[in-house]
Amino acid sequence: MAAQAVKKKVVKVAPPPRVAAPLPEGLAAVRDALSALGFAVQVDAESGLTFMFEGGQYYVPAQGDDAAFYHLLFPNFWPLESDEEYGQALFACDAVNREAKLVKLHTVDGDVWAGVEALHAQPQGFVEALPRYLTFVQEAVRAFRDVMLAAQEAEEAEPAQDA
């Protein structure tokens, strides 16, 4: 029995248009308030809000069912290029986390992130506190950079002292 060549017609079907999930009420209120303050806010119903501030990109992620929980993130502000730098970053994160108000620094996939977690009964409370949160994040990032740069300077100075 000889194999017969069967011609199959390939039909290209366009995927159905993606329907964006509605933005949770709290995030919609935050988006509106940020826009009213002059921020250019980008929206993704799955991941949340993003906006630029002082040259950095900040996120307010969607939090699912917890309408009172808000998270402000400043990701990827310091790339980690070696295992040694990763160790220095853990030390710097720990040093800053002990002193900084509300801010937590942590490593994620070879970068350092800063974040503020807060509980607010209404989205307006988060928006009212946002300028302070942004200031706290910037202060923590500056403190982290100071610790990292001091460690790098000390490391560079060591060979000169041994000579």
Side-chain angles (χ1 to χ4, degrees):
M1 185 183 253
Q4 293 180 336
V6 178
K7 288 186 178 180
K8 292 184 179 182
K9 185 175 181 181
V10 177
V11 178
K12 292 184 179 180
V13 179
R18 187 173 166 195
V19 178
L23 197 59
E25 185 179 323
L27 273 185
V30 171
R31 176 204 55 210
D32 295 346
L34 286 171
S35 295
L37 292 171
F39 289 100
V41 181
Q42 301 296 317
V43 178
D44 182 317
E46 292 176 11
S47 62
L49 310 176
T50 181
F51 62 96
M52 297 296 290
F53 178 71
E54 304 249 339
Q57 189 167 22
Y58 289 77
Y59 291 86
V60 179
Q63 296 302 323
D65 295 337
D66 194 347
F69 181 75
Y70 293 88
H71 197 180
L72 173 68
L73 285 171
F74 182 42
N76 307 321
F77 71 84
W78 187 282
L80 301 172
E81 298 173 359
S82 68
D83 288 342
E84 185 174 324
E85 189 176 27
Y86 178 78
Q88 291 171 339
L90 291 177
F91 172 80
C93 286
D94 185 52
V96 173
N97 287 342
R98 281 193 307 269
E99 302 295 326
K101 289 182 182 178
L102 295 176
V103 178
K104 286 194 266 182
L105 300 181
H106 57 279
T107 61
V108 177
D109 297 330
D111 284 293
V112 181
W113 293 32
V116 171
E117 297 176 342
L119 297 172
H120 292 279
Q122 299 296 321
Q124 293 77 10
F126 174 75
V127 172
E128 288 171 10
L130 187 60
R132 289 189 76 193
Y133 295 161
L134 291 167
T135 298
F136 292 156
V137 168
Q138 290 183 328
E139 288 171 357
V141 167
R142 268 192 293 279
F144 175 86
R145 287 183 175 144
D146 290 347
V147 173
M148 289 296 286
L149 294 174
Q152 290 173 353
E153 288 173 8
E155 191 176 285
E156 291 171 2
E158 279 182 22
Q161 293 175 353
D162 292 341

